[in-house]
Amino acid sequence: MTTLLITHPASLLHAMPPGHPERPDRLRAIERALEAERFAPLIRLEAPLGTIDQVALCHPPAYVQAILDASPQEGFVQLDADTTMSPGTVEAALRGVGGAVMAVDEVMSGKARNAFSAMRPPGHHAERERAMGFCFFNSAAIAARHAQKVHGAERVAIVDWDVHHGNGTQDIFWDDASVLYASSHEMPLYPGTGAPSERGSHGTIVNAALAPGDGSDQFREAFEVAILPRIEAFRPDIVIISAGFDAHWRDPLANINLREGDFAWATQKLMDFADKHANGRLVSILEGGYDLEGLATSTAAHVGALMGS
Ligand SMILES: [Zn+2]
């Protein structure tokens, strides 16, 4: 059984105004890191275009149409202070959805042991009806719903270790007892949500807040005390990781001091759980990470752990 890596060059066509941190070079840095010899055993597939029906698993059709309609012929269209569309954005975002869905398909069907979809733009800030925080379609949330609708998963856990709270994923599953959303993130920080008191209608939202300056010890404690026991009690059929790497100490957008090894550790913890209780089923979807070196080394550590190396 193998680890699947899903990419697509269309991710590079989602252009950004100069100086924007969520830039195509992020994926070039990841690609370079995963060219190393030890990643040769990865199965590499290209992300298909996600369908409108797949996007509509988590976003109302009118919202999806509004995003499609906003797509510029040239230049940029600004949806909010930091969320910008270029002519390549729609294809990149739809392939981001397609990559996440493909990851679920391959893992749920047993063709791959686990899968990492390395695509941009990220998705976890995208709410049901709002693009924000560099995000348009919430690929991790769509992957969870797809696992339920197409593969019959009853319960899905989404674990989000991006340094920012995934307000979009929380918004989408707030009233849904069949999806556990567990996030570790810095507070206070963008987008401002994610207080531990935010628990969802059924208590299936788990927010573990880290303080500015926190590092490995506090992250691992949050994981072991607040997040892992809740996942174990929830007994999901598949675990989906919203894998942002902006809690790395080098990242310019936040102030949490994780090392590459912390991401490998968290990956291993979730793999151990999945092996015991979910047939090993684990899917990881790239979210943030804005220091190219920190992103590359952290992604390599994460994927290396997924491969069991
Ligand atoms: Zn982030």
Side-chain angles (χ1 to χ4, degrees), residues 124 162-164 246 288 290:
H124 74 151
D162 188 282
V163 80
H164 304 95
D246 40 11
Y290 304 100

Side-chain angles (χ1 to χ4, degrees), residues 220-233:
R220 293 187 187 209
E221 187 187 344
F223 225 73
E224 293 206 280
V225 174
I227 292 179
L228 286 171
R230 293 296 307 277
I231 297 170
E232 277 166 20

